[in-house]
Amino acid sequence: MDRFHIVGGSSLRGVVSVSGSKNAALPILFSSLLGGGMEVGNVPSLRDIRTAFSLLSQLGIRAQPLFQEEKGEVSEGPWTFSDTGNWPGKFFLSEENTTAHEAPYDLVRTMRASILCLGPLLARRRRARVSLPGGCLIGARPVDMHLNAFSRMGARISIDHGYIDANTDGLVGCDIHLPYPTVTGTENILMAATLAKGTTRIFNAAQEPEISDLAVCLNGRGARIEGIGTSSLKITGVDSLLPSSYGVMADRIEAGTFMVAGALLGDPLTVQNIDVTCLSSLLGTLRAMGADFEETPGSVTLARIRKPCGASVRTEPYPGFPTDMQAQILPLMSIAKGSSTVVETVFENRFTHVMEMNRMGANIDVHGSRAFVHGMSSLEGASVMASDLRASAGLVLAALIANGESEIQRVYHIDRGYERIERKLEKLGARIKRVRGEDVP
Ligand code: EPZ
């Protein structure tokens, strides 16, 4: 298992370009199961994206890498998905086998977002057998809302030896009132409804920008989705989708992570290739903590906040403060003047990074869903263990400001969602090295 060795204290100066969004790319890639063929660009080179391609391949989707389109070259070459040094970023996805319908445990256990194949498989192939995603460290994360919606749309669903077994004679649109605006639940229903008979309306839909990205991509292929970006989506089913080309949006969580890095150590740091409008709750918090930044439509420039003040944050569905940024804001709160609070409302167990940050000298008390952060003058380097994707990003930021050296173990978590983060940070002036270990199975 690889680890990061970080020497804290270096300023970060220059420009960092944000990669394509993991959480937008995943549903868009799974939407290839709806048929029609599609070209997808700005696909980030991430562990979770490779898992998605493996699963899609088992489900009969062929992903052809497209290299250097600006030179008019299209290569199928000897390229494989493990070739991380030569990632094309653009793929043509087409259906080769339309009878495959099983998402096995081995893949689903490594990536819960594999559940996103369920809606498209049911809609297009009328059959799906998908390993039930278990809980994970951050919460129980059931998929009951996905399954209830598909039942209402006419799927017969049973749970059999840890698998969701579902089939239908054809999905039929209906009104779905979500008890909570689930992100992947909304995406799964949206994809299924695209090919269902009649009209589906989703009330209390999640409004995350990644859902809008998926909906715009689907409409470009002939789907009929209205209300994009709102909590009420109306989908009029169509018979089939058409081939088209789409570029995945930039990753707002990667952007947010670098923005916090800028607030901690920027000299100054420009985060570019972003949609600033998706980041307003984070920008509001950074402003309240003392950040001064320059904004353009595609970038934000921040310098280190000399004397950050404490703040209160409550994680909520979009447009609220993202739970995926909670671990990264804690290092800034840890060195702020006075105290700060974080209330985590989305996942029931998303403070595992706090114990590790406290080992670095932070002073954070967790009581249930609340973290009380007592600002300290500095953090100290230590050896710490990453427990999930965003927790790892929070620990990297803490190590970058800590005095002395830190080791972050289990960085495979961060490779699931950040494209070569150590290279991007190193270019900005951070002293960070990846120490190679044995591969994670
Ligand atoms: C998505 O997860 C993201 N994953 C997560 O990003 C993100 O943290 C989360 O949304 C919240 O923004 C992807 O987009 C691939 P939810 P998702 O369904 O869809 C409960 C990252 O680090 N719930 O909105 O799984 C659930 O337990 C990841 O990139 C049910 O009870 O989140 C949770 O408490 C981690 N029943 C809450 O809703 C259901 O059927 C929100 O979950 C579905 C969800």
Side-chain angles (χ1 to χ4, degrees):
M1 280 185 251
D2 293 0
R3 56 188 199 277
F4 284 155
H5 180 258
I6 297 175
V7 182
S10 304
S11 326
L12 302 178
R13 187 186 179 93
V15 181
V16 63
S17 194
V18 170
S19 302
S21 157
K22 165 180 88 77
N23 288 348
L26 289 172
I28 288 174
L29 293 176
F30 282 112
S31 76
S32 61
L33 290 164
L34 292 168
M38 61 189 288
E39 189 178 292
V40 192
N42 205 26
V43 179
S45 169
L46 300 171
R47 202 177 161 85
D48 274 9
I49 296 292
R50 288 187 175 77
T51 306
F53 276 121
S54 291
L55 177 52
L56 285 169
S57 155
Q58 295 201 20
L59 290 171
I61 297 292
R62 177 164 186 249
Q64 179 189 356
L66 303 175
F67 286 99
Q68 299 184 339
E69 53 147 20
E70 66 276 13
K71 292 186 194 159
E73 290 173 28
V74 174
S75 160
E76 289 184 52
W79 186 85
T80 64
F81 282 96
S82 54
D83 186 355
T84 49
N86 189 22
W87 183 253
K90 190 181 256 196
F91 298 86
F92 186 78
L93 291 102
S94 54
E95 287 174 302
E96 273 201 324
N97 161 2
T98 51
T99 55
H101 61 272
E102 179 162 331
Y105 173 69
D106 274 356
L107 286 172
V108 178
R109 84 183 161 87
T110 59
M111 188 183 71
R112 304 186 81 268
S114 306
I115 190 70
L116 285 166
C117 69
L118 181 56
L121 283 176
L122 268 176
R124 175 89 170 149
R125 303 185 186 175
R126 299 190 169 189
R127 201 167 168 201
R129 185 171 159 79
V130 178
S131 175
L132 196 58
C136 70
L137 206 66
I138 64 175
R141 306 186 72 181
V143 289
D144 53 316
M145 295 181 215
H146 305 228
L147 302 188
N148 290 341
F150 295 140
S151 296
R152 286 186 45 75
M153 294 173 81
R156 293 174 287 272
I157 297 179
S158 58
I159 306 294
D160 167 34
H161 291 89
Y163 275 78
I164 303 162
D165 239 323
N167 62 75
T168 176
D169 300 327
L171 295 179
V172 180
C174 64
D175 282 359
I176 291 163
H177 296 262
L178 289 172
Y180 183 91
T182 157
V183 175
T184 47
T186 302
E187 291 163 348
N188 231 343
I189 301 163
L190 188 66
M191 289 190 278
T194 293
L195 295 185
K197 198 167 162 36
T199 302
T200 304
R201 290 187 302 169
I202 311 175
F203 298 100
N204 198 25
Q207 300 171 63
E208 269 66 5
E210 294 77 13
I211 298 169
S212 304
D213 210 40
L214 169 68
V216 172
C217 168
L218 289 169
N219 275 356
R221 292 153 67 194
R224 291 177 57 198
I225 302 166
E226 294 165 63
I228 296 176
T230 74
S231 60
S232 300
L233 294 168
K234 180 178 170 198
I235 307 110
T236 309
V238 296
D239 291 338
S240 59
L241 297 183
L242 309 165
S244 87
S245 172
Y246 193 74
V248 174
M249 66 179 277
D251 197 310
R252 68 190 166 100
I253 304 299
E254 187 196 3
T257 304
F258 279 108
M259 279 161 48
V260 177
L264 288 166
L265 292 159
D267 184 29
L269 170 59
T270 299
V271 188
Q272 74 172 20
N273 183 31
I274 59 176
D275 177 356
V276 181
T277 57
C278 297
L279 289 153
S280 36
S281 66
L282 174 65
L283 285 169
T285 302
L286 291 176
R287 194 176 282 121
M289 296 183 81
D292 196 11
F293 36 79
E294 271 173 40
E295 240 179 272
T296 73
S299 76
V300 174
T301 300
L302 299 94
R304 175 165 86 89
I305 310 175
R306 297 276 156 201
K307 287 185 184 152
C309 358
S312 290
V313 157
R314 186 183 165 86
T315 67
E316 279 171 336
Y318 189 83
F321 189 92
T323 173
D324 288 349
M325 279 303 303
Q326 178 255 101
Q328 300 91 314
I329 200 78
L330 283 176
L332 184 58
M333 291 176 164
S334 293
I335 54 158
K337 192 166 178 304
S339 42
S340 300
T341 28
V342 175
V343 184
E344 171 59 59
T345 75
V346 181
F347 292 111
E348 62 271 26
N349 190 28
R350 212 175 193 183
F351 282 126
T352 50
H353 38 278
V354 163
M355 279 182 297
E356 299 301 283
M357 287 182 189
N358 282 349
R359 296 187 56 249
M360 301 177 80
N363 185 351
I364 309 171
D365 297 321
V366 174
H367 297 283
S369 60
R370 276 163 205 271
F372 299 94
V373 190
H374 313 282
M376 308 298 287
S377 54
S378 61
L379 300 185
E380 302 299 323
S383 197
V384 291
M385 182 100 78
S387 52
D388 77 59
L389 165 56
R390 309 302 170 188
S392 331
L395 292 175
V396 167
L397 294 179
L400 288 174
I401 53 166
N403 296 321
E405 299 179 22
S406 296
E407 287 266 341
I408 301 182
Q409 315 281 342
R410 302 195 172 196
V411 299
Y412 62 86
H413 288 294
I414 211 164
D415 294 335
R416 289 186 43 214
Y418 290 84
E419 201 176 44
R420 295 185 290 272
I421 192 168
E422 75 279 18
R423 286 199 219 161
K424 289 188 179 183
L425 285 167
E426 205 179 3
K427 269 195 188 157
L428 296 168
R431 292 169 69 192
I432 175 169
K433 287 273 173 274
R434 179 180 290 257
V435 182
R436 293 273 169 203
E438 279 171 35
D439 273 355
V440 184

